Amino acid sequence: MTPWVHLDTHIVLWLFQDTDRAWPPRVRGLLDGAVLRYSPMVELELGYLHEIGRVRVPPARLLGALEPVFSLKPADEAFHDVARIALTLIWARDPFDRLIVAQAIAGGAGLITYDETIRKSFAGAIWE
């Protein structure tokens, strides 16, 4: 059975910027063989970062470029379910992080993330 994994915003950005990046072996294996999904909050965060000038490419173009290469698709768990889970993640002060992690939990998936706070607090976080 192919594993199911979500991607954090930084991971999506890094994939767009450099698909040959030196990823940890476990992450590289998942990027090459897992079913990859992202929370709609990733798209919203990318849009916010684009608006403030930290990301130069609009989110639709960025995600559109990655979808055919990685078969990357948005997650589709119900927002109400995701929000209810996010309410329990009191360790996260950032609403984007809260909802991105909650989306992975709602989907029963791990989350590839470089974020240290997420990695310390969410058992499903994947990096090394």
Side-chain angles (χ1 to χ4, degrees):
M1 184 169 142
T2 302
W4 185 277
V5 68
H6 284 222
L7 305 180
D8 193 9
T9 306
H10 283 100
I11 304 306
V12 169
L13 275 170
W14 291 343
L15 282 174
F16 180 77
Q17 294 167 344
D18 181 11
T19 57
D20 293 327
R21 186 179 195 91
W23 300 97
R26 181 173 179 214
V27 171
R28 171 49 64 196
L30 289 168
L31 293 174
D32 290 341
V35 175
L36 303 178
R37 297 289 180 259
Y38 63 90
S39 169
M41 285 305 291
V42 167
E43 187 169 3
L44 182 61
E45 187 172 19
L46 290 169
Y48 172 76
L49 293 171
H50 179 67
E51 289 170 17
I52 65 171
R54 293 201 40 213
V55 173
R56 295 183 183 184
V57 180
R61 195 167 99 207
L62 190 152
L63 292 166
L66 293 175
E67 285 178 8
V69 176
F70 293 97
S71 299
L72 182 63
K73 301 281 185 231
D76 60 2
E77 292 78 25
F79 185 72
H80 185 261
D81 297 335
V82 172
R84 279 197 168 164
I85 293 168
L87 285 170
T88 69
L89 304 177
I90 59 173
W91 52 265
R93 303 296 356 129
D94 182 317
F96 291 109
D97 288 350
R98 235 184 224 212
L99 287 162
I100 289 166
V101 171
Q103 187 93 45
I105 293 169
L111 175 70
I112 297 176
T113 183
Y114 185 72
D115 185 294
E116 190 173 334
T117 300
I118 295 173
R119 291 181 5 226
K120 285 180 180 177
S121 304
F122 174 46
I126 301 164
W127 183 248
E128 297 172 349

